[in-house]
Amino acid sequence: MIRNWFFPGLLDTGPVCDRLVAVRDGFVNLYVFRAPAGLVCIDAGWRPTRVRHGFALLGLDVRNVAAVFLTHLHWDHARGRDLFTNAQVFVSEHESPSFLGGRRKPAQPLTPVRDGQTLTAAGVDVHAIAAPGHTPGSVAYLVDRRFLFTGDTLGLRHGDAVPFRACFNRDGTALRRSIRKLAALSGIERLLTAHTGSTVDVGTAFRRWRGAGADVPPQERARP
Ligand SMILES: [Zn+2]
C-alpha cells in the first residue's frame, strides 16, 4: 500500500488512549479529545463524509465538537473544518489562507492564535506553540498539558522524530529549529503526528534533538 510506504505508522480510526481518539481520513489523521464539556479536535481532515463516518464508528457526533485547532492550513488538515458547524476554528495568525486553495468561502471564520497562548476549550487547556518551517504558520498544540500534537512539523521513523519530508517544507532550517523547540518541552506524555502515528516514548523520539548542538544526523535527513 502506498499509504504504508509513504506514511508508516498512520493510525486507523479508533481509540489512542484515555480520552483521545484518532480518525483516519485517507493518509492523514485528525484527533479528537474528549474534554469535560465537549469534543476538541486537532486538525479536521479533508473529506467531510469520511470524517463524519469516522466519528460515527466511534459513537461521536460532529455537532458536539466545540473547538478545532488547525496545525496549519494545508488542505488535508483543514478542508474538513466546515463539517464542525458548532465549533470555533483556530489557526496561527501567521498562516496564509491561500494554502486552502479553492474559491469556496469558509462556513465559519478562523480565529487566530498566537505563539504561547493558552486557551480553554470545552474545559481543557490547549497551549499553542509556534513551529514554523513546514508552513510559516505551523503550530503544535499541547493539550491537557500532556499530549503534544505536532502536525507536519515532524514525523516518526522507528521511534525517532524526523523532519517532515523535505519536498513539502517551506523552510527546512526553521523546521529543525522548531523541532528542537518542541524537544525542549517537559512533561509530555504522548507525541502525536498527523501522518506517522504516535509514541509515548517521547524521550527516545527527541533524544537527537535535545542539548547543545542537537541536530538531525545525516541518515535521518528527510528525503523527497
Ligand atoms: Zn502539511
Side-chain angles (χ1 to χ4, degrees):
M1 298 258 302
I2 287 176
R3 164 195 151 196
N4 291 334
W5 173 80
F6 209 65
F7 295 118
L10 187 72
L11 299 172
D12 283 323
T13 296
V16 175
C17 62
D18 166 46
R19 302 181 83 178
L20 191 61
V21 301
V23 174
R24 183 171 72 80
D25 182 4
F27 55 87
V28 69
N29 282 130
L30 61 137
Y31 295 97
V32 188
F33 185 84
R34 299 175 194 265
L39 303 175
V40 172
C41 285
I42 306 296
D43 284 337
W46 54 289
R47 295 174 297 187
T49 51
R50 295 298 180 99
V51 175
R52 189 193 297 277
H53 179 66
F55 270 65
L57 283 175
L58 296 163
L60 302 175
D61 189 332
V62 295
R63 291 172 296 185
N64 294 333
V65 175
V68 177
F69 290 87
L70 297 175
T71 58
H72 61 299
L73 285 180
H74 279 161
W75 55 271
D76 53 327
H77 298 251
R79 204 172 276 175
R81 73 197 183 286
D82 288 348
L83 181 62
F84 305 107
T85 50
N86 294 330
Q88 192 170 6
V89 182
F90 297 89
V91 71
S92 165
E93 60 184 344
H94 298 298
E95 192 71 329
S96 168
S98 67
F99 287 128
L100 284 170
R103 293 178 193 160
R104 196 164 51 93
K105 225 175 159 237
Q108 69 270 66
L110 298 171
T111 303
V113 291
R114 297 186 311 275
D115 182 29
Q117 190 173 8
T118 300
L119 300 113
T120 302
V124 68
D125 281 351
V126 180
H127 183 65
I129 304 157
H134 178 65
T135 66
S138 284
V139 175
Y141 294 103
L142 184 61
V143 175
D144 203 23
R145 303 180 187 198
R146 56 192 173 123
F147 299 116
L148 181 66
F149 297 87
T150 66
D152 285 351
T153 297
L154 58 85
L156 291 168
R157 191 186 303 154
H158 308 304
D160 287 326
V162 295
F164 199 73
R165 286 176 181 271
C167 59
F168 297 116
N169 299 329
R170 184 60 69 91
D171 183 336
T173 302
L175 184 87
R176 285 172 169 72
R177 202 180 304 125
S178 291
I179 298 175
R180 286 194 290 273
K181 180 180 175 184
L182 298 180
L185 298 171
S186 58
I188 301 165
E189 293 180 15
R190 182 179 283 274
L191 192 67
L192 300 111
T193 74
H195 296 282
T196 54
S198 152
T199 182
V200 292
D201 193 352
V202 180
T204 295
F206 280 141
R207 63 191 159 160
R208 293 191 173 99
W209 298 90
R210 287 175 167 157
D215 206 340
V216 193
Q219 69 270 24
E220 296 291 1
R221 284 189 188 131
R223 297 188 296 262

